[in-house]
Amino acid sequence: MQGFPILTILTFIPIIGMIIVLLLPKSAENNVKYTTLAVTSIQLVLAIVMILNFDYSAAGVFDVNSFQFIEKVRWIQIPDVAFLGTLKIDYFLGVDGLSAPLVLLSTIIFFIATFSSWTIKKSPKGYFAMYLLLNAATMGVFLSLDFFLFFVFWEVMLLPMYFLIGIWGGPRKEYAAIKFFIYTMLGGVFMLITMIGLYFSATEILADGTQAYTFNLLTLMDQSSYLTDGILSPLNPNNWRFMAYIGLFVAFAVKIPMFPFHTWLPDAHVEAPTPISVVLAGVLLKLGTYGILRISFPIFPDITRELMWYIGLFGVINIVYGALAAMAQKDYKKLIAYSSISHMGYVLLGMASLTSTGFNGAIFQMFNHGTITAMLFLIVGIIYDRAHTRGLYEFGGLANQMPIYTGFVTVAFFAAVGLPGLSGWVSEALVFVGAFGVESIRTITMIGMLGILLGAGYMLWTLQRVYLGTVPEKWKQLKDLDGRELTMLIPLTIIVVVLGSFPSFMLDIMTTSVNSLVDFIATTLN
Amino acid sequence: MDFANLHLSLSNILPEISIAVFLMLVVIFDLISHENKKLIPYISLIGLLITGFIVIIKMGITDSAFAVPSMNAGGMVAVDPFSSYFKLVIILTSIIVIFFSMSSKEIKDIYKRSGEYYALIFGMILGMMLMVSAVDLILIYLSVELLSLSSYVLAGFTKLRDRNSEASLKYIIYGSASSGIMLFGISVLYGLTGTTNLFEINSALQTTQINVFTLSFSIILIFVGLGFKLSAVPFHFWTPDVYEGAPLPITAYLSVASKAAALALLIRFIHSTFVSYVNDNGFWEMITVFDWQTLLIVISLFTMTLGNLTALWQKNLKRLLAYSSIAHAGYLILGLAVLSNAGISAVMLYFLAYLFMNLGAFYVIMLISNDNYKENINDINGLGFSSPLLAVPLSIFLVSLAGIPPTFGFVAKLNLFAAVIDANLITVVIIALLNTVVSVYYYSRLLKHMYFNKSEDTVTPIKVNKMDSAIVFILAGLVVFFGIFFNNIIEFVKNSAQLL
């Protein structure tokens, strides 16, 4: 694999696809879909090739030598900027056990959501161009090891999302789009200020021997590169470091979305078209938790240790609040959206434990939530396409009407509930085992376990309301799944079942990195 | 009379001389040819290109013109990379504005008077070019007045709408009041120090005991005049009305070029008059007679906050951009408030970004408004689908104005905020950043109108000729290009941030 820029191709092939899509004449509008499908297929293949060539023993995280498929090119270099020395920014991509599962996840989800986008009627050119731009930006965020690059990709994600919700969404789409935009922008601003603060706090020695401020995430993790008087330097005791951590955390929390920054999510989901809901829940929510693991934790290990209880608390609030809110919903899609909030709470709780088990559980939960929630949103989309309503109380007895569909629904629901043998169970169990083992968050973990009960409650109740009982007269004509829908659901179901029985496929990829990250947080600045 | 010195001085102000010559050429051509005025804009363009060429040749020079040998430093005019940079900015803006005027329907309607129109534009250019290099209070006042008088006339030039005359009248009344106040401040400062040369005032402030209260009084009076041109709060009241009423090319011109000149003048005024020395880290050690930093920070925060909050409610596109330009003036002043070399180069970079994105946005709005003078926010409903060739560049300009990567606007904002953070003014940066979040709301509202809303009347694509499309796309392309490859541009700006 030496010399083959696999990560660059993963990131930028959607941009090439986007340009092709934009250049295609109006008469060839149908080819737009095939271009997108080709791009996402290539990405999926590349991601699988990457995993096959992945060295399971290389840790990454803070050590540049054990990152894999590294690509590093000087992007910006300006010598002698007025008294600041050299200004430099690298184009720096790399993969380790923290990002590899998520890269795989996003290629899978984008591939499957392409099929779900097949029925988009309203200006497909614009839709697929935005879809591909979103795809590129997401990949970029997962692969960047330079803060500046990370931030650019992070913000680029905003616009395609805004347009995808705003143009192709439902009746209240504008409100949802602007809410999403403002919330994310607010978070982005906090990230920006932390990024600049960190930039002025640490230096790296360049090839020519001069010192330069740096956006390099790995250098920022190395405590020896900090200046004594840098504003966010650990050597400079002040409150700004604490504030910066909070600011950065808010930026990521908006994306997770963590209570109390979650209110954009139900609105955005209800209004977004099905494939966008799938991508939003399947991939984009993980960016928040990934950002915390990749940036907040290793750069501020001291403050992370200090605040772990609060992170856990917010995780538990997410779990319980999301589940309770899900229970109260009358709209099928809103229910799934709130269940997403609840499930992301598990990720937060696992991360708060600062143990290997908890971290493994958290990353695995990100992957599983991605696949399971993607299924759930596809399931809602399928019924909405047929019935044009999502009212939970308007249905009943669909099991008789659509038996194959209900089969998939049952698998997805039980995976979401955490039935042993399906993937959701493994990650939730790891999260709770990890968190329970830590004295300080044991109590809140026990409260969090209520979430399992509540989760089973709303999921099974939904199953009963929509799929069991007798079919109302007006739904007698509903047809069962067609080929396209099967193509989307079958691979996801296989992943959910296989990973439930053989979780080590995924856990092995991340374990080395997770252990090294846990060690790093525990020992650095102690 | 020292003729060697005079010769050198004249060669140092060659760009200004060139502008003056072309001003006269335009007037003469207008007198000779009664019928064919089509050539006038082209003459103007040639004049600007030649002047721009001269400025580029003289880019590296640091010198002064019309110095009296008996004085220890500086004459009337400073020639340094800083002034050359702003001269280039002004010339670039003027070139784009001439293209603007050539395709604007408003200006086409007054075809007969286009000789005066371009002559007045050259009057403005001359005034601005002197402003960016003036180091003498007398010249400062004269150049500001030259700019003002030309722009008062241009603001009401077309006389097509009631708003037009209103704009002009408001501009004159506010403008002359504030320039009167400024002149009063200048006379007090002269009275205190006994000289009009900025460098001599500087040494007078350092050596002699001066009544601080009277001094502050005079400084604030002078600041009123410059704040008016910058449309800084609380001297901004004229801005929305004038921007709305004036012909669009002039609105765009006022929002960029005259701000550039005023900003450069303010920077030079502070730098030459109040800095005792520049320390090793590039921060300015100020003479402790007046707290510039506090004044500038307060003004800048009020300016950006008020501009952004008021922009939220605007329905007229020109007014919206007027308030947005007030907000941007706030960011620019913030960069100056750092009082460091890094801050100045950040301001200069920001201005370049502002030039591209603001002129671009105005250009697209002008093309839209050529269709029946439509300027309401509802008139761009559905534009994204009816005329994507206008909507896409406008979206890029708006995204850049909002400061979202990968655009030039983002790079400029990042550079600016980095300079402010480096000066440890973190609370200020947080307020400024929250402001950008507010601004995102109204910029995204325009996107919403273009892409999400349906047009009420039948959608007819707006016809745009190739020339205009090309200009708009070049501007949009530059905004994106510099957003990704900003290496050379930052380096260029950094090298230009040298004052005499």
Side-chain angles (χ1 to χ4, degrees), chain B residues 402-461:
Chain B
I404 298 170
T407 55
F408 200 5
F410 165 69
V411 173
K413 270 211 176 96
L414 180 78
N415 198 30
L416 184 81
F417 291 146
V420 184
I421 288 184
D422 197 29
N424 259 325
L425 299 168
I426 297 184
T427 335
V428 178
V429 171
I430 292 174
I431 298 175
L433 280 169
L434 290 178
N435 256 293
T436 67
V437 178
V438 175
S439 78
V440 161
Y441 181 78
Y442 59 83
Y443 293 126
S444 72
R445 204 159 59 106
L446 289 184
L447 295 180
K448 183 194 111 171
H449 278 276
M450 279 193 286
Y451 292 98
F452 302 171
N453 291 12
K454 294 249 165 20
S455 178
E456 277 150 22
D457 34 273
T458 46
V459 185
T460 45

Side-chain angles (χ1 to χ4, degrees), chain A residues 138-151:
Chain A
T138 319
M139 284 297 159
V141 171
F142 282 135
L143 295 172
S144 304
L145 292 179
D146 186 280
F147 208 158
F148 191 87
L149 197 62
F150 182 96
F151 183 79

Side-chain angles (χ1 to χ4, degrees), chain A residues 75 77-81 83-84 123 148 151 155 159 162-163 166-167 178 181 185 189 192-193 196 200 231 240, chain B residues 280 282 385 399 405-406 410 414 418 421-422 424 426 430 433 437 440-441 444 451-453 484 487 490 494:
Chain A
W75 176 17
Q77 174 153 12
I78 306 165
D80 312 319
V81 178
F83 308 99
L84 299 181
S123 58
F148 191 87
F151 183 79
E155 293 279 285
L159 283 171
Y162 176 68
F163 286 121
I167 300 179
I178 289 206
F181 200 75
M185 194 69 200
V189 157
L192 178 70
I193 192 165
I196 300 176
F200 282 118
I231 177 144
W240 287 118
Chain B
D280 289 344
F385 297 98
V399 165
F410 165 69
L414 180 78
I421 288 184
D422 197 29
N424 259 325
I426 297 184
I430 292 174
L433 280 169
V437 178
V440 161
Y441 181 78
S444 72
Y451 292 98
F452 302 171
N453 291 12
I484 302 173
N487 214 352
I490 291 189
K494 182 197 78 188

Side-chain angles (χ1 to χ4, degrees), chain A residues 303-313 351-354 438 440-441 444:
Chain A
I303 300 169
T304 301
R305 287 194 302 266
E306 222 173 289
L307 292 181
M308 65 183 272
W309 189 83
Y310 295 94
I311 299 172
L313 177 69
M351 295 195 319
S353 74
L354 301 182
V438 180
S440 60
I441 57 171
I444 53 174

Side-chain angles (χ1 to χ4, degrees), chain A residues 383-450:
Chain A
I383 190 106
Y384 184 69
D385 279 350
R386 286 167 171 67
H388 302 289
T389 174
R390 292 185 299 247
L392 282 168
Y393 291 97
E394 295 173 39
F395 294 100
L398 291 184
N400 306 321
Q401 189 66 33
M402 308 165 73
I404 306 176
Y405 169 65
T406 310
F408 286 108
V409 170
T410 317
V411 175
F413 273 31
F414 280 111
V417 168
L419 190 76
L422 298 172
S423 63
W425 177 73
V426 183
S427 51
E428 281 174 29
L430 285 173
V431 163
F432 281 122
V433 170
F436 201 78
V438 180
E439 184 85 47
S440 60
I441 57 171
R442 188 166 289 157
T443 330
I444 53 174
T445 308
M446 286 198 256
I447 300 170
M449 284 175 181
L450 267 179

